[in-house]
Amino acid sequence: MITGWQTGLRAQDFTRLQGLQRAQAGVRGQNCAAGLVDGGVWPVLSGYGACIAGTIPLGLGLPASDIDILVNTDDLNGFATVCTGRFSHFDGFHIYNRAATRHVGAAVIVQFMISCPNQKPEQVEIFATNKPAHHQYGFRHMVVEARILDMLDAEFHNRIIALKQAGVKTEPAFARILKIAGDPYTGLDALFDFSPSQLKQRLLRGAVNGGRSPSNFT
């Protein structure tokens, strides 16, 4: 296990609901967490090793961004039955199967809207597969992206937001600016086990090629 990451950037700091409780998630994150708990969603999903993922924990969420939740189950059909029984009363409920891809196993995806205190309703998207949540791409990408954002300056954050507003997905946006060649999803995943010094050196190369120098580097 790679050590050296400060508290808040370790993988264990993103488990369960912790992603929505980060300072970067802001008031929106706190309200989303409250909505999941108060609406009875989190008590159901916590039994499946649920973790928050996505862009809201990173402070990169757009108004239409989902609350992304990763879960683990060996019984996708049974999970679908549970979700239908417990969540189908929510507005916009939709559930479907996603076939396995080259890198990700078969999954069940569940979507619906929840009420959150002091803000508009938010869409939830649950991604269920037979891999523990902290081993799934969505979790690993979020951790890597949080570390990158911590190391780079506000201009980098703004450039990511601008690309997302233009319709570019998060991982391709990071890869584009940092000049990560090939598949952006596997490219970012390859950075997960980097130590702070290794990631720093990789980002220095990306900064030289793709943008301003990191303000947090010494």
Side-chain angles (χ1 to χ4, degrees):
M1 177 182 294
I2 296 296
T3 59
W5 288 105
Q6 67 196 58
T7 300
L9 295 174
R10 304 168 302 173
Q12 62 263 39
D13 297 323
F14 292 85
T15 58
R16 301 178 295 279
L17 276 171
Q18 290 184 93
L20 293 177
Q21 296 160 341
R22 302 180 78 228
Q24 292 82 352
V27 174
R28 183 184 184 185
Q30 296 172 20
N31 291 339
C32 288
L36 290 171
V37 173
D38 296 345
V41 175
W42 197 255
V44 175
L45 298 182
S46 60
Y48 294 91
C51 287
I52 298 295
T55 56
I56 296 176
L58 303 175
L60 294 176
L62 301 181
S65 296
D66 301 332
I67 306 172
D68 292 316
I69 306 175
L70 308 177
V71 305
N72 169 222
T73 178
D74 291 325
D75 181 6
L76 292 176
N77 290 333
F79 180 76
T81 299
V82 169
C83 287
T84 300
R86 300 297 295 270
F87 304 144
S88 60
H89 66 283
F90 287 108
D91 290 343
F93 179 82
H94 180 55
I95 185 168
Y96 63 96
N97 295 314
R98 200 192 81 163
T101 65
R102 179 181 177 186
H103 298 294
V104 181
V108 166
I109 297 176
V110 187
Q111 299 168 324
F112 52 86
M113 304 294 294
I114 62 166
S115 296
C116 296
N118 306 313
Q119 67 182 44
K120 67 177 181 65
E122 296 272 4
Q123 176 154 307
V124 172
E125 180 170 288
I126 304 166
F127 186 88
T129 190
N130 66 348
K131 180 178 287 189
H134 62 281
H135 289 159
Q136 293 182 31
Y137 269 150
F139 180 84
R140 289 166 63 91
H141 292 164
M142 175 184 61
V143 173
V144 168
E145 290 158 2
R147 293 168 176 172
I148 292 171
L149 288 165
D150 183 75
M151 286 186 167
L152 298 184
D153 58 19
E155 177 64 19
F156 177 85
H157 176 279
N158 293 338
R159 292 180 69 188
I160 294 290
I161 290 288
L163 285 173
K164 287 174 58 63
Q165 290 173 333
V168 180
K169 291 187 177 296
T170 306
E171 287 85 353
F174 273 79
R176 180 182 299 185
I177 297 175
L178 296 174
K179 306 299 183 184
I180 296 174
D183 186 317
Y185 298 92
T186 57
L188 278 174
D189 187 72
L191 304 179
F192 181 82
D193 288 323
F194 276 29
S195 68
S197 61
Q198 289 172 326
L199 185 60
K200 172 182 175 179
Q201 291 304 313
R202 174 60 187 85
L203 296 183
L204 281 170
R205 293 199 302 273
V208 168
N209 292 325
R212 293 176 57 188
S213 297
S215 64
N216 293 346
F217 286 176
T218 58

